[in-house]
Amino acid sequence: MAVDRGCFSSRLGFILAAAGSAVGLGNIWKFPFEVGKGGGAAFVVMYLAFCFILCFPVMVAEIGIGRKTQRNAVGAFTVLGYKNWSIVGYLGLVSGVLILSFYNVVAAWAFGYFVEMVTGNFDIGNNFGEFTKDWVTVGSYAIIFMVGTAYVVSKGVSGGIEKAAKILMPSLFVMIIALIAYALTLPNAMDGIRFYLVPDFSQITGQVVYSALGQAFFSLSLGMGALITYGSYVSKKDNIVSAAASVTLMDVGVATLAGFMIFPFVFSQGIETNGGAGLIFVTLPGVFEALGSTLGVFVGGLFFLLLSFAAFTSTISLLEVPTAYMVDEKNMGRSKATWLVAIFIFLVGIPSMLSNGAVDSLTSFITLPGPGTLDFMTFIGLIASDTFLPLGGFMIAVFTAYVWKKENFNLEMSNGDATMQASLLQRYVSFAIGYICPVLLGAIFIVTVLDNFLGIKILSLILG
Ligand code: PHE
């Protein structure tokens, strides 16, 4: 193992970096539009249940595997002695590359909107389609974003990743609270809150369950080894169960807060909730405009800056996964590895960039029985985040409980001290990773994949 892998300087540093990874476009851009498409509060309830019941134990498992082995997502399985299982790590690498390839494009939109707001162009909300179609502009922002990300990752773990998260995460929180306070003063704000909080369970279909599970994994950065990688930089003395609990709470907290901010905005403007990927980009500029030119520029600029910050700490973690792989397994220097991977992923992202209006064949790329006609970028999201991540999570749970074995996992959770009394939370994790996670993840995965890709509606049959 390379001597200079680096590590987090403290428990708080790890928690903030992991929370920075988790909190991102997933919470503020994707979560609201998935809630909107999934019929509101019923989706929220499912998402929350998935996060706490299924994802939290998988998160502890990922961090545990990483910390035990001090390796990247692929190498970790080999170090534990199960080379065949490194396939899970490779699946994670592929997921990470695909996710970052489109994530960087949305991050570029967010950053571009920041620039538009600061220059007072509130009309951009009505011109979202035109904006995303303009691949030269979006591509330039995407290059800026990827270069910034690569710069931080090339600086290493405590000097780059941890430092960025320590500054950006707290600012993010403060900004969200301020925007909620404003949102709640708007007309029809309460209709938005009602949509968000009062569930209508008749809205639940196979597709909604599928997106809610995918959303939970995506939002928590799980199922692709991002937390195996971050876990590999965690001190042997830290309590990983409580650290994972903090990360889960922060991530779910920010997503929940984002809903309180967005839905009052959406309803105050009388905009449809099921607008998909454009939801916040179409809705928000008008809200900011209503504040008048000075305040509007300020609040609008602040919001999209916030969104860019949130995205940035996530792109860092997405890039770190393949970078750590190159550093550990291919003995490449960190800086070289970072820039090579970043360029590769940027190129992989070009079709996504072109699929939002610029090239017709990519804009209506594929038609599936479940979701209908999708653009290339949405399709990649469906494959990588909604399908590969839960699949990865399922395999990580099975691996942890039945291959690596629960005794070893329990010992890792107790920091190697077999005499330590396990906390209630730790006992839940241990139980869930062996039974609840494999069974429910496996079942939900099969049912929802059949539903989405082949149009076989098992869930509707069960629910009647
Ligand atoms: N969790 C991030 C978000 O919510 C996205 C992400 C997914 C980051 C997977 C890393 C790994 O925006």
Side-chain angles (χ1 to χ4, degrees):
M1 187 174 58
V3 242
D4 58 350
R5 283 185 91 253
C7 61
F8 291 114
S9 70
S10 66
R11 180 179 124 91
L12 183 67
F14 164 67
I15 291 178
L16 288 180
S21 166
V23 175
L25 293 170
N27 307 58
I28 301 168
W29 161 71
K30 194 167 183 284
F31 177 70
F33 87 68
E34 294 287 0
V35 173
K37 277 202 308 196
F43 179 97
V44 180
V45 172
M46 248 181 320
Y47 160 80
L48 291 176
F50 289 153
C51 282
F52 291 119
I53 299 173
L54 297 179
C55 292
F56 166 63
V58 175
M59 182 183 289
V60 180
E62 279 204 30
I63 300 173
I65 292 172
R67 185 176 66 170
K68 173 77 193 167
T69 59
Q70 314 219 320
R71 278 294 177 113
N72 64 91
V74 173
F77 294 92
T78 317
V79 168
L80 287 176
Y82 306 99
K83 197 164 189 309
N84 289 342
W85 281 83
S86 56
I87 181 98
V88 180
Y90 284 110
L91 178 72
L93 284 189
V94 173
S95 315
V97 167
L98 291 177
I99 291 176
L100 183 53
S101 79
F102 76 80
Y103 198 95
N104 192 54
V105 176
V106 183
W109 297 348
F111 189 62
Y113 262 57
F114 163 67
V115 175
E116 299 293 335
M117 290 297 111
V118 175
T119 52
N121 178 18
F122 298 109
D123 221 25
I124 190 76
N126 303 321
N127 299 324
F128 174 67
E130 291 303 307
F131 177 81
T132 58
K133 193 174 171 176
D134 176 3
W135 62 272
V136 178
T137 307
V138 172
S140 313
Y141 289 129
I143 290 176
I144 296 175
F145 216 89
M146 189 64 97
V147 167
T149 304
Y151 177 77
V152 173
V153 172
S154 73
K155 291 284 162 211
V157 179
S158 62
I161 299 175
E162 185 179 328
K163 216 186 220 162
K166 270 187 175 157
I167 304 169
L168 299 182
M169 291 307 296
S171 343
L172 177 87
F173 221 79
V174 174
M175 284 194 232
I176 292 193
I177 302 286
L179 285 168
I180 293 178
Y182 167 57
L184 291 179
T185 64
L186 296 173
N188 299 331
M190 283 309 135
D191 292 340
I193 299 294
R194 211 165 294 125
F195 172 77
Y196 186 48
L197 290 187
V198 184
D200 169 6
F201 288 107
S202 69
Q203 300 275 351
I204 296 181
T205 62
Q207 234 175 299
V208 173
V209 177
Y210 182 68
S211 335
L213 185 66
Q215 176 61 25
F217 272 89
F218 181 80
S219 181
L220 290 167
S221 303
L222 285 180
M224 51 160 275
L227 287 161
I228 295 182
T229 310
Y230 273 21
S232 76
Y233 308 125
V234 171
S235 152
K236 295 280 181 198
K237 288 188 233 103
D238 287 345
N239 179 337
I240 58 173
V241 181
S242 70
S246 312
V247 174
T248 306
L249 283 175
M250 277 192 241
D251 184 65
V252 170
V254 173
T256 310
L257 287 176
F260 280 106
M261 167 175 73
I262 301 292
F263 289 106
F265 282 153
V266 170
F267 278 76
S268 76
Q269 295 226 318
I271 287 176
E272 289 294 324
T273 51
N274 59 359
L279 186 65
I280 66 166
F281 292 101
V282 172
T283 313
L284 295 179
V287 175
F288 300 133
E289 184 172 23
L291 288 173
S293 54
T294 320
L295 195 59
V297 165
F298 180 73
V299 177
L302 200 63
F303 177 83
F304 285 104
L305 188 64
L306 165 157
L307 192 61
S308 306
F309 280 174
F312 192 56
T313 47
S314 301
T315 52
I316 289 171
S317 71
L318 283 160
L319 187 59
E320 176 61 22
V321 173
T323 300
Y325 166 74
M326 299 296 268
V327 171
D328 288 350
E329 308 298 315
K330 306 284 165 208
N331 279 323
M332 205 179 267
R334 173 168 274 273
S335 184
K336 183 173 168 200
T338 309
W339 291 103
L340 270 183
V341 175
I343 292 170
F344 175 70
I345 296 178
F346 180 81
L347 297 177
V348 175
I350 289 177
S352 290
M353 209 178 310
L354 298 177
S355 75
N356 296 284
V359 174
D360 288 342
S361 58
L362 290 170
T363 308
S364 333
F365 180 68
I366 191 169
T367 304
L368 293 174
T373 301
L374 305 174
D375 61 87
F376 182 81
M377 188 169 112
T378 310
F379 178 66
I380 292 291
L382 193 70
I383 299 285
S385 49
D386 291 352
T387 310
F388 286 178
L389 296 185
L391 179 62
F394 168 73
M395 293 200 284
I396 287 166
V398 172
F399 172 81
T400 303
Y402 301 107
V403 183
W404 184 31
K405 295 271 178 346
K406 253 192 206 169
E407 305 86 80
N408 294 315
F409 178 45
N410 288 339
L411 202 58
E412 188 57 35
M413 285 193 283
S414 311
N415 294 350
D417 178 0
T419 60
M420 197 178 99
Q421 171 83 26
S423 67
L424 203 61
L425 211 52
Q426 182 173 333
R427 275 182 282 165
Y428 171 72
V429 170
S430 181
F431 175 78
I433 212 70
Y435 305 104
I436 305 179
C437 297
V439 171
L440 282 184
L441 281 176
I444 298 173
F445 183 77
I446 293 171
V447 168
T448 54
V449 164
L450 289 177
D451 186 316
N452 245 284
F453 288 97
L454 305 174
I456 302 173
K457 308 269 171 230
I458 299 177
L459 200 73
S460 338
L461 290 179
I462 301 173
L463 295 177

